Amino acid sequence: MASAIRADLACSRFWPAFGHTTSEGERRVLQPWFGEAKLGIFVHWGIYSVDGVPESWSFFDGTVPYDRYMAQLDGFTAARYEPTAWADLFVRAGARYAVLTAKHHDGVALWDTAANDLSVVGRTPAGRDLVAPYVDALRARGVKVGLYYSHVDWSHPDYATVRPPGQDPAERGNPYSMPAAEDESSERWANFLGFHRAQVRELLERFRPDLLWFDGEWERGPEQWRTAELARDIAELSPHTVVNGRLTGHGDYATPEQGIPVQPPAKEWELCLTVNDSWGYQPQDTRHKSPRRLVRIFAETIGGGGNLLLDVGPKEDGTLRPEQTERLEALGEWIGRHTEAVYGTVRGLPHGHFYGPSTLAAGRRTLYLFLFDRPNEYVVLRGVRNAVRSVRVLGTDVEVRHERVGGLGDVPGWEYVHLTDDHLDPLCTVLALELDGALDLYGAHTRD
Ligand code: GLC
């Protein structure tokens, strides 16, 4: 079996030089750092920050003519780019990883790619590889390195050469992504895939990322992307690299975007979310989420077992606007007061036991309740069989009064935790409940 697989891989058209050694069907195990990280910072940085227009989409949807969009190449300087300052900020925010847009759908690479000539190195005043110093700065601070790479490339001459399966032949589609039905060319698509694989390989070999964050998978079917082959090749070349779910059916985790699923995914997941309403730098967008809203979203995310990947959009010179820096710092300060409820925890109670998110310490003996609102005298926990030994307000040395009321035999009743206003954190209060053993839940009534 193994030799048959190797023979098959030796024919792999795009990465012929790879030394494949693992056998097919081996399950990838998600790197433990990912679930423990809780917070990552997403960075959408590209030529679109010059005019402050939507990343890639602005020419795709016709808001900006392609030539004008591409003229932003001439204004992209990275003149004040200090990746060490980014890394320091990310650490202050409490983030354990960061994901930089190495290439968005516009096709402009932030690194010195040899696969084509569309990179900031040769085509912008920045004139240098911007990914390498980012990788070094993050590693020096112990922050895991993520790279975003869009499968889609609306600038590549061979990209718009096949149509997604099931596409109506009468439908013209967007010319940046799709040819007319009569102009399809599988040879040119194969050329594009060769280019795509060359870039992915460069990212993996040069930067050894801890995370490869794909995007754009929706434009083609998995057979067209040859997703299974790509996943296998990545696993062979860089087995430690975590891959997000936008490698359909082969990613390590799910990537809900801009909203938390009310029922969190059962598998690992990560919510990607903009600090304001834009992924990249758009100066007119001042709708930055307040620190209180960000903390709430973060608590809801980790309470459901996810990570938050919070996005910022630097200016073309590489600096971040103060509103974004301040948001990251405020989130980091809140996390700093509540680290115990964040790092080293797992998803909390199912819905209904407590009206808010919660997390559990690794041994499931400490339960953290996140409180967004001012309680009316007390908060209530229900359906927990364990006795509660103590309740602390995290970030203070206050222990608060609590009592069990009701219950009969196996049915646990209500745990009331009494709180006053002076116990409350301005952004989100966290209560740590020490249980008398591993969490034991009472859910449904089973007697008639
Ligand atoms: C969406 C946007 C894209 C952005 C991505 C981040 O797919 O269209 O521009 O990069 O979200 O998840």
Side-chain angles (χ1 to χ4, degrees), residues 24-90:
E24 194 156 27
E26 200 174 288
R27 276 306 298 151
R28 280 166 61 74
V29 177
L30 184 63
Q31 297 290 317
W33 72 262
F34 183 81
E36 291 159 10
K38 308 300 177 189
L39 181 68
I41 304 298
F42 210 173
V43 184
H44 271 66
W45 193 32
I47 63 167
Y48 38 85
S49 56
V50 173
D51 291 345
V53 294
E55 69 292 344
S56 309
W57 292 99
S58 47
F59 72 81
F60 185 86
D61 66 17
T63 320
V64 177
Y66 183 78
D67 290 349
R68 203 170 105 207
Y69 182 93
M70 280 298 161
Q72 295 178 96
L73 286 164
D74 299 332
F76 188 78
T77 66
R80 297 170 66 201
Y81 176 40
E82 277 182 57
T84 305
W86 284 9
D88 287 340
L89 172 65
F90 300 165

Side-chain angles (χ1 to χ4, degrees), residues 42 44 55-57 101 104-105 148 213 215-216 218 246 257 272 279:
F42 210 173
H44 271 66
E55 69 292 344
S56 309
W57 292 99
T101 48
H104 206 264
H105 320 327
Y148 166 109
W213 211 101
D215 197 13
W218 67 83
R246 300 185 184 185
E257 183 170 320
C272 53
W279 295 102

